[in-house]
Amino acid sequence: MALVLLFATTAHAQQPTFHVLAFYSEAVEHDHVDFAHQAIAFYSSVARRRHFDFTPTTRWDDLNAATLAHYQLVIWLDDQPHTPQQRAAFEQYMEHGGGWLGFHIAAYNDSDTHWPWFVRFLGGGVFYGNNWPPLPAEVIVDDPTHPLTKNLPKSFLSPSNEWYIWKPSPRLNQDVKVLLTLSPSNYPIGLKDTIVGGDLPVVWTNTRYRMLYLNMGHGDKIFASNIQNRLLEEAIPWLAPPSGHSRGY
Ligand code: ZN
């Protein structure tokens, strides 16, 4: 009897404080799938330690109002929605207080994307170019007082990644707060494809939404930095506060 009670008490104490749904695809660029698999392992571990519910899924049709109503945070690991229904459900979710964490290719957009709302949501930047092959890079903290960066050094070496540069830079949007920027000391970066200069925000939030974009997400080295892992972990409770107060959903 005592054992049963103990079990019941423990189970109650570890009720998940919020629910996270992480979308990914298996049939995309191999290096992006590698990242998605590592991210699922990383966030599953974080979820156990910090008592939130983390569900990975490849079913992008779960981007619908009925399913999203159960989740405080949506993650896109290596892809984005491609049907009008999925996109419309995501817009509704975000416009009514939903949370989003996007990595790397999740924010990719060009003249073929045909989703103007999404470009505005990201802060206005259209994909302009990237380095190749993936390389580590020094990144600079823009605001050391921000909750997500206050425990990071002023700059650190971010593991090997394919870095994207956007035009216009999201920084030019007054609603965007940039948290990490690629240090100009990295330029020129790349061998086959080279970025020679320009403003390259790496992590930012559009303050009109509960959202965060991180350009990291290419290959199997992303979780090799304990410093960066702190940021990757803290992004979750920052976006979906475990205090119990809901911002809409
Ligand atoms: Zn990539």
Side-chain angles (χ1 to χ4, degrees), residues 118-157:
F118 185 53
V119 179
R120 287 196 300 276
F121 169 73
L122 292 168
V126 173
F127 174 82
Y128 184 67
N130 60 264
N131 65 290
W132 193 263
L135 291 167
E138 195 77 13
V139 293
I140 299 171
V141 169
D142 286 83
D143 177 3
T145 67
H146 191 275
L148 278 177
T149 54
K150 66 180 185 197
N151 293 321
L152 298 178
K154 287 179 187 163
S155 67
F156 64 91
L157 190 69

Side-chain angles (χ1 to χ4, degrees), residues 100 121-123 146 148 170-171 173-180 201-214 238-239 247:
W100 179 78
F121 169 73
L122 292 168
H146 191 275
L148 278 177
R171 194 190 310 275
N173 183 329
Q174 62 182 9
D175 292 324
V176 166
K177 182 164 184 61
V178 177
L179 301 181
L180 283 186
V202 170
V203 176
W204 73 82
T205 178
N206 179 343
T207 57
R208 293 169 56 87
Y209 298 95
R210 189 155 58 91
M211 66 83 88
L212 187 73
Y213 172 71
L214 298 98
W238 183 72
L239 285 164
R247 290 200 235 177

Side-chain angles (χ1 to χ4, degrees), residues 72-226:
Q72 286 76 42
L73 177 62
V74 162
I75 302 179
W76 298 352
L77 293 172
D78 66 1
D79 203 356
Q80 59 185 229
H82 296 283
T83 75
Q85 293 82 0
Q86 294 164 358
R87 289 178 171 186
F90 179 70
E91 286 183 32
Q92 283 298 308
Y93 176 70
M94 292 310 301
E95 293 290 353
H96 294 88
W100 179 78
L101 174 61
F103 290 95
H104 194 56
I105 193 75
Y108 181 91
N109 72 88
D110 62 20
S111 57
D112 293 329
T113 305
H114 303 300
W115 194 9
W117 177 90
F118 185 53
V119 179
R120 287 196 300 276
F121 169 73
L122 292 168
V126 173
F127 174 82
Y128 184 67
N130 60 264
N131 65 290
W132 193 263
L135 291 167
E138 195 77 13
V139 293
I140 299 171
V141 169
D142 286 83
D143 177 3
T145 67
H146 191 275
L148 278 177
T149 54
K150 66 180 185 197
N151 293 321
L152 298 178
K154 287 179 187 163
S155 67
F156 64 91
L157 190 69
S158 181
S160 186
N161 189 48
E162 178 191 31
W163 305 99
Y164 292 171
I165 192 162
W166 312 83
K167 278 229 167 149
S169 167
R171 194 190 310 275
L172 299 175
N173 183 329
Q174 62 182 9
D175 292 324
V176 166
K177 182 164 184 61
V178 177
L179 301 181
L180 283 186
T181 301
L182 197 87
S183 168
S185 66
N186 295 291
Y187 295 135
I189 184 166
L191 297 170
K192 178 175 169 286
D193 299 315
T194 305
I195 304 174
V196 295
D199 181 30
L200 197 159
V202 170
V203 176
W204 73 82
T205 178
N206 179 343
T207 57
R208 293 169 56 87
Y209 298 95
R210 189 155 58 91
M211 66 83 88
L212 187 73
Y213 172 71
L214 298 98
N215 188 228
M216 299 82 169
H218 188 107
D220 60 3
K221 307 286 193 295
I222 300 299
F223 295 94
S225 162
N226 288 333

Side-chain angles (χ1 to χ4, degrees), residues 22-46:
F23 291 88
Y24 71 109
S25 296
E26 296 279 4
V28 293
E29 190 174 332
H30 183 75
D31 287 334
H32 297 167
V33 179
D34 278 353
F35 166 74
H37 289 167
Q38 289 194 346
I40 288 166
F42 177 83
Y43 284 119
S44 297
S45 166
V46 173

Side-chain angles (χ1 to χ4, degrees), residues 15 31 51 67 80 211 236:
Q15 280 285 317
D31 287 334
H51 311 305
T67 302
Q80 59 185 229
M211 66 83 88
I236 302 285

